[in-house]
Amino acid sequence: MRSWASTYIPPLDSKFAIPQLHLQNTASRSLETLPIQDTYRMYVCGITPYDATHLGHANTYLAFDLVNRFLRARGSKVSYVQNITDIDDPLLERAIRDGVDWKDLATSQIELFRGDMVDLHILPPDHYIGAVEAIPLVLTAIERLSAADATYLVDSDIYFDVHTDKNFGTRSHLSKEKSIEIFAQRGGDPNREGKRDPLDALLWMQQRPNEPGWDSDIGKGRPGWHIECCAIALHYLDPNPESSYSIDIQGGGSDLIFPHHEISAAQSSVMNGKEFSHLYVHAGMIGLNGEKMSKSKGNLIFVSKLIQDGNDPMAIRLALLSHHYQEDFMWTEDVLIEATNLLNKIRIALSREEVPPTDEVINAIVKALSENLDTPTAISHLNKWSDLALSHSQSDAKKMGNPGELSRAIDSFLGIAL
Ligand code: ZN
């Protein structure tokens, strides 16, 4: 599927040392240092296109955009793949509710998503793959799981036996009871009769009346969600046979830790005989005025709407960066107003010909980002520097900074074009 336009990343002068990146790994529950590599393989779970990009999505893709930018700035290549679940229950349900064709609904929402990503300066994935176009890959993956004796039938639907992965559960750290509860809330079917374990996941669902289906040797039907990501990641990220992991970073929102990432990783481990990802990295959830932002509550804030209302996309980006990506965050109008004011202040400060020294603030921003993408600290350094640049107390002798270089560093690492 077509991705979206890329953005130029200005290089940083070689006088700046860029430290190694540290990220919190959900599976090990610790902060880990990414080893130095020529290429990193990163997979971030994409949207189900039945709604445009809301701030929760933006927050997730923004976090992994920072990872992408940081690793590239260090001189590595980042092979980045994202999927789009363009066939799934929620999409079909929404299309029926709104009386539209599910394909038209998906196409329109994917187009809006692309526009939002461009506006927010989020670097595109190298491969942006839809579930429908990935069906041949899914079928091959199911064959491999069947060959490993990890599948069984319930009626004619095919299920993955999660316990064929000896590490099942070690990435999400939940009790069995909690796992079942969350599984049911997030599209799973723990109570279906005939399953060996309530958590076993659907790989291939035979066509239901009035639903789309694709022909295959295992019957006309459609793929399950978890196998889609695993099949796409293993194919397009082309795992390095020398590595003990198939990929380096599996990313997504924290609502994907279980069951999605746990089951996807379990399937990949059974297929490849090694752990799916080195790091499992998760972004927090965004709430609104004290409530969780969710489709069911109808309180989603869409990026496209904020932009239509006249907000600068860079202010939206800065507003999201004002909190740490891993923390759940409550969005309010004030957050956006503050970010807009700060953005203006930074722009005015950078427009001055003579500014305070900039090397120190650039180093501080890069260091903060290296420490698990600590954007609040990075922004606080930038804020202080801007205050200093705009204060009259600064003596002329100290105005030796290079505003162009700072501007390029902000663009490169924080993705904020000024
Ligand atoms: Zn996924």
Side-chain angles (χ1 to χ4, degrees), residues 12 83 102 117 167 206 247 280 321 327 346-347 409:
L12 191 65
N83 70 310
W102 64 273
M117 293 295 106
N167 295 322
Q206 300 301 331
I247 70 169
Y280 296 86
L321 293 178
E327 286 165 12
I346 297 167
R347 280 180 172 149

Side-chain angles (χ1 to χ4, degrees), residues 1 18 20 31 36 87 89 135 151 158 166 173-174 239 266-267 273 287 291 322 335 344 347 364 371 401 404 416:
M1 191 171 286
I18 307 176
Q20 277 176 263
L31 200 60
I36 295 167
I87 181 67
D89 293 340
I135 284 174
T151 65
I158 305 178
K166 62 182 188 315
H173 312 286
L174 295 169
Q267 290 164 342
E291 280 204 310
S322 69
V335 172
N344 289 338
R347 280 180 172 149
E371 293 165 354
I416 295 174

Side-chain angles (χ1 to χ4, degrees), residues 20-209:
Q20 277 176 263
L21 181 60
H22 300 73
L23 289 173
Q24 178 72 24
N25 182 3
T26 302
S28 68
R29 294 189 273 201
S30 61
L31 200 60
E32 295 196 33
T33 312
L34 260 84
I36 295 167
Q37 291 174 203
D38 292 338
T39 302
Y40 295 92
R41 293 169 172 81
M42 179 162 81
Y43 186 88
V44 179
C45 290
I47 59 162
T48 298
Y50 62 105
D51 258 334
T53 324
H54 59 71
L55 286 174
H57 295 136
N59 185 54
T60 295
Y61 301 117
L62 184 48
F64 294 97
D65 189 54
L66 296 178
V67 173
N68 198 355
R69 286 169 179 276
F70 195 95
L71 294 173
R72 284 172 190 234
R74 285 198 88 259
S76 296
K77 184 177 175 300
V78 180
S79 183
Y80 176 26
V81 176
Q82 190 182 132
N83 70 310
I84 183 142
T85 307
D86 56 357
I87 181 67
D88 202 7
D89 293 340
L91 176 67
L92 295 174
E93 284 159 15
R94 175 63 65 94
I96 290 167
R97 190 200 78 178
D98 295 351
V100 294
D101 186 289
W102 64 273
K103 283 185 227 139
D104 295 341
L105 176 62
T107 304
S108 65
Q109 298 308 304
I110 293 167
E111 202 43 49
L112 263 180
F113 179 75
R114 286 192 188 104
D116 291 343
M117 293 295 106
V118 170
D119 286 340
L120 291 173
H121 281 199
I122 290 179
L123 301 174
D126 302 295
H127 298 281
Y128 188 45
I129 308 297
V132 171
E133 64 184 317
I135 284 174
L137 298 177
V138 168
L139 291 167
T140 307
I142 295 172
E143 251 174 54
R144 288 173 69 187
L145 288 175
S146 297
D149 209 15
T151 65
Y152 63 94
L153 290 175
V154 176
D155 302 325
S156 309
D157 297 333
I158 305 178
Y159 276 81
F160 169 61
D161 180 341
V162 292
H163 295 291
T164 51
D165 170 32
K166 62 182 188 315
N167 295 322
F168 182 73
T170 57
R171 300 121 188 146
S172 49
H173 312 286
L174 295 169
S175 67
K176 180 89 184 203
E177 196 184 18
K178 194 74 190 160
S179 301
I180 293 173
E181 184 189 322
I182 299 178
F183 188 69
Q185 288 163 2
R186 296 181 182 156
D189 53 358
N191 300 319
R192 182 167 181 184
E193 261 182 56
K195 286 176 68 171
R196 290 179 191 165
D197 186 288
L199 300 174
D200 287 348
L202 189 64
L203 291 167
W204 188 256
M205 180 166 80
Q206 300 301 331
Q207 189 177 25
R208 303 293 197 262

